[in-house]
Amino acid sequence: MTLRDLFTGTLQTLWAHKLRTALTMFGIAWGVIAITLMVAAGEGLREGQRRNSETFGKNIMIINAGRTSLQAGGMRAGRSLMWDAEDHLRIQESAPDCECVVPEQGNGAPVRSSYNNASLLVTGSLPPFAQVRSLAVGQGRFYSWEDDAVARRVAFLGSDAKKQLFGSRSALGATIHIGAFPYTVIGIMEPKEQNSSYDGFDVNKIFIPFNTMLRDFPNRPPQTRRSVDRLIVTPKSLKQHEVCKRQAVAALARRHGFDPADEEAAAIWDTVKNAKNVRKIFDGMEYFMTAVGITTLFLGGIGVMNVMLVAVRERTREIGLRLAVGATPQTIVRQFFLETVIVVFLSGILGMAVAYGLCALVNLLPMPRYFAGMRAGWQPAVFSFALLGLVAVLSALYPASRAAAVDPIEALRHEAGG
């Protein structure tokens, strides 16, 4: 028998047993679809959470001044600490594993434009603050080092603050009054969804240069005019995160006379650590979904196995008849193998097409927060395809080889007796 004859005979046999073929294909295709969709949904949730967390700031540590709980250098415990406008420079000098250190100072103030009034939070920091805190520029620009050096009265508006003050009107180049001082609007922030904050969402704030902030809106007693609310630190890499944190705390401890091991003296909001904890949660979810997917695959594999075993058993008489007219056992096994490969191949292609098509349709819909859509990768589809295909091939070849090895008369008698 030539390969062409074998292929033609195989297609005819599959067509003659349409229901059985369809059931086998459904079992394989459903397994591919199920595990692909489950993994795609899990990855979409993970990616959505990662993106949303980065709107607050990527790999940052926020250091707030607290109260000492340990004695250090002859000083009593229970002292209130206060960061000052020079601390970021001292940390940058003695913390080589830290990429960026910026101070942040914020105070509420009445703000008015030519169209509306509002009470908004005014935040002062240095130019790298925009990158550290993920403040994307929608229009205009963020303030520069030159603006900060000369304490220029320029303002960068959060997207919602702009709407509150100007509505749909243009704000670039306009003058607003923050307290008693006139400021020129030089930029507007691109809207963003933010999942956490320590003093309000960035879209509702007005950002001005650090030295301008210290001059126009300093802290009030009991704090000093040169005090700042917090310091924001970023490591040079994730591997240097812990070292950078220790170096920053040690620099502050030397400068303000507290024990570096005193966690209450310098309270740290560590977004890197938080991100690792979130990743652990999603890893656990992924393991669970993988277990569910593999269980689904095995259930599908059992269904495919049953269909294939029944199919071979029902064709025992056909096998005996073909052996009686001169077919070799190898030819019988090859035909069953080719039949199974064709069914597996078509089922896998169909399953992947349906799964990716469903993912694409879902991704056309508006996505909720923390969900980045169905992110279908090729690995789960190929894995499920290969596993179910292997089950189908073994389920067909083993009984087929057993049937092809028996005497033709026995095979005919077995079927006739059944």
Side-chain angles (χ1 to χ4, degrees):
M1 177 181 284
T2 64
L3 181 61
R4 180 178 179 181
D5 292 336
L6 180 62
F7 192 75
T8 302
T10 299
L11 293 178
Q12 290 174 348
T13 301
L14 292 175
W15 185 252
H17 301 88
K18 293 186 286 292
L19 179 59
R20 187 173 65 219
T21 302
L23 289 174
T24 307
M25 291 181 65
F26 176 79
I28 298 173
W30 177 250
V32 173
I33 293 170
I35 195 167
T36 301
L37 292 181
M38 282 192 293
V39 174
E43 286 301 312
L45 192 59
R46 178 196 291 267
E47 179 63 16
Q49 174 63 33
R50 185 191 66 80
R51 289 181 184 177
N52 202 274
S53 64
E54 287 187 359
T55 62
F56 175 67
K58 185 177 181 181
N59 302 331
I60 65 175
M61 292 171 282
I62 301 162
I63 308 178
N64 293 288
R67 185 182 294 270
T68 61
S69 61
L70 301 174
Q71 293 182 351
M75 296 185 183
R76 63 180 178 83
R79 292 182 298 115
S80 293
L81 298 177
M82 190 183 305
W83 305 150
D84 62 50
E86 308 298 324
D87 282 337
H88 68 284
L89 299 174
R90 305 291 82 79
I91 295 175
Q92 199 76 71
E93 291 171 357
S94 56
D97 288 275
C98 296
E99 176 70 23
C100 184
V101 184
V102 294
E104 183 183 2
Q105 172 64 26
N107 280 311
V111 184
R112 60 184 173 88
S113 69
S114 300
Y115 310 99
N116 202 6
N117 300 333
S119 180
L120 300 172
L121 183 67
V122 181
T123 296
S125 187
L126 299 174
F129 184 82
Q131 181 179 357
V132 169
R133 283 293 318 283
S134 301
L135 305 180
V137 177
Q139 298 178 43
R141 65 178 179 88
F142 199 71
Y143 52 78
S144 65
W145 286 106
E146 181 184 352
D147 294 328
D148 182 69
V150 298
R152 190 170 287 142
R153 288 190 174 119
V154 292
F156 181 81
L157 306 185
S159 54
D160 285 5
K162 182 267 178 187
K163 290 179 183 178
Q164 205 167 354
L165 294 171
F166 292 92
S168 58
R169 304 174 185 86
S170 175
L172 283 180
T175 298
I176 61 175
H177 282 79
I178 305 177
F181 307 107
Y183 279 73
T184 302
V185 177
I186 59 170
I188 301 165
M189 191 179 78
E190 188 175 288
K192 71 173 180 177
E193 291 186 350
Q194 190 175 329
N195 67 346
S196 58
S197 180
Y198 41 80
D199 60 354
F201 293 122
D202 296 333
V203 293
N204 297 317
K205 297 178 183 178
I206 296 178
F207 303 91
I208 65 176
F210 183 59
N211 282 317
T212 311
M213 183 77 186
L214 293 180
R215 182 192 63 200
D216 291 349
F217 306 103
N219 279 326
R220 298 173 181 174
Q223 296 179 310
T224 66
R225 294 181 61 87
R226 297 285 293 175
S227 66
V228 298
D229 293 339
R230 63 194 63 89
L231 300 167
I232 303 178
V233 181
T234 62
K236 289 185 176 179
S237 69
L238 282 177
K239 292 182 179 179
Q240 295 166 282
H241 154 247
E242 287 295 336
V243 179
C244 168
K245 179 167 36 174
R246 288 195 298 270
Q247 291 172 349
V249 172
L252 289 171
R254 286 193 299 271
R255 185 167 171 79
H256 294 277
F258 65 88
D259 190 328
D262 190 348
E263 295 183 358
E264 295 185 23
I268 300 177
W269 183 358
D270 190 346
T271 65
V272 178
K273 185 177 180 180
N274 291 345
K276 288 180 180 178
N277 292 334
V278 170
R279 278 197 294 271
K280 289 180 181 178
I281 294 174
F282 280 97
D283 286 343
M285 291 177 57
E286 185 173 342
Y287 296 148
F288 172 76
M289 295 181 72
T290 301
V292 172
I294 292 175
T295 302
T296 303
L297 284 180
F298 276 111
L299 292 176
I302 292 172
V304 170
M305 183 184 301
N306 288 335
V307 172
M308 298 304 295
L309 290 173
V310 171
V312 174
R313 182 176 177 83
E314 288 177 350
R315 295 170 64 183
T316 304
R317 181 176 176 81
E318 175 193 331
I319 293 172
L321 184 60
R322 292 185 60 192
L323 289 171
V325 297
T328 64
Q330 291 77 14
T331 302
I332 301 295
V333 174
R334 277 200 300 269
Q335 179 171 351
F336 273 94
F337 175 75
L338 186 58
E339 286 180 17
T340 309
V341 168
I342 291 175
V343 169
V344 168
F345 180 76
L346 294 177
S347 304
I349 295 298
L350 177 63
M352 283 190 271
V354 171
Y356 292 136
L358 289 174
C359 290
L361 288 175
V362 170
N363 290 339
L364 293 176
L365 302 174
M367 293 296 114
R369 290 184 67 183
Y370 312 122
F371 186 63
M374 302 290 283
R375 302 181 67 82
W378 60 270
Q379 296 93 336
V382 171
F383 171 74
S384 54
F385 178 25
L387 180 60
L388 290 176
L390 180 62
V391 169
V393 169
L394 294 178
S395 300
L397 288 186
Y398 177 70
S401 61
R402 290 283 300 272
V406 303
D407 183 77
I409 303 300
E410 291 294 328
L412 291 169
R413 184 183 299 147
H414 170 80
E415 184 65 21

